[in-house]
Amino acid sequence: MQMSARVFIVWGVAHLVPKIQTTVYISMFLMPWCVAEVTRYPYYVTAVLGIKSEVLLWCRYTLFIVLYPMGMFGEALTMYAALGPIKEGGLHLAGIPSNLQGAFQYYYYFVLVLLLAWMPCWWPIYMHMFRQRKKALGKPSTKEE
């Protein structure tokens, strides 16, 4: 689900609506995506190599707390900003065969429905990451004195 959402945001929104490509909204989701990947893949590599890194473990299961909402907010704002240009017919359909371009007639409504569904679809993933974090990091220890 996450990968299809990213493909949709990059190709289905940012690529097809050139007017939003220079907005700050793009960086509002690209920066969290990049930071998440920069911490995720070194964590996976060290795990495969059998190397334990507490720092990477902590980053992998903690940074999402800030990164996921930032990314989701940037994705939602990007879709919202794209609605105006889409309604005005500002889609970049070069490279799409002319017999398929008619399929984009109702694209505004498609993006609008996805935008409205973004939060409920995003929330279970976010909560799943908290469960994964608890499993990976364990419960915080309390010292009794």
Side-chain angles (χ1 to χ4, degrees):
M1 186 162 104
Q2 182 181 15
M3 284 307 297
S4 56
R6 286 185 177 189
V7 168
F8 170 72
I9 290 292
V10 170
W11 186 84
V13 178
H15 174 73
L16 289 179
V17 186
K19 283 185 179 179
I20 65 159
Q21 292 173 2
T22 56
T23 65
V24 70
Y25 308 130
I26 299 290
S27 57
M28 287 177 68
F29 70 79
L30 282 179
M31 292 303 288
W33 285 5
C34 292
V35 172
E37 300 309 321
V38 164
T39 57
R40 179 182 303 159
Y41 292 112
Y43 170 77
Y44 288 152
V45 168
T46 56
V48 167
L49 296 174
I51 302 168
K52 277 195 163 198
S53 171
E54 294 298 321
V55 172
L56 287 175
L57 177 70
W58 183 87
C59 287
R60 169 75 177 109
Y61 290 102
T62 303
L63 293 180
F64 82 90
I65 295 170
V66 174
L67 296 176
Y68 271 36
M70 284 174 55
M72 188 281 306
F73 192 60
E75 293 163 1
L77 286 175
T78 299
M79 285 189 284
Y80 181 75
L83 288 174
I86 291 170
K87 198 168 196 174
E88 296 167 3
L91 289 175
H92 174 70
L93 299 177
I96 297 174
S98 58
N99 61 337
L100 295 178
Q101 289 185 8
F104 289 88
Q105 178 180 359
Y106 299 105
Y107 199 64
Y108 172 84
Y109 299 105
F110 177 69
V111 173
L112 182 61
V113 166
L114 286 179
L115 174 60
L116 294 174
W118 215 248
M119 185 59 126
C121 290
W122 167 82
W123 189 252
I125 297 169
Y126 191 55
M127 291 296 102
H128 173 72
M129 285 301 296
F130 275 103
R131 289 188 296 275
Q132 293 296 99
R133 180 179 195 270
K134 187 176 180 181
K135 195 176 352 177
L137 298 179
K139 293 181 182 179
S141 62
T142 56
K143 291 185 179 180
E144 293 183 22
E145 294 181 28

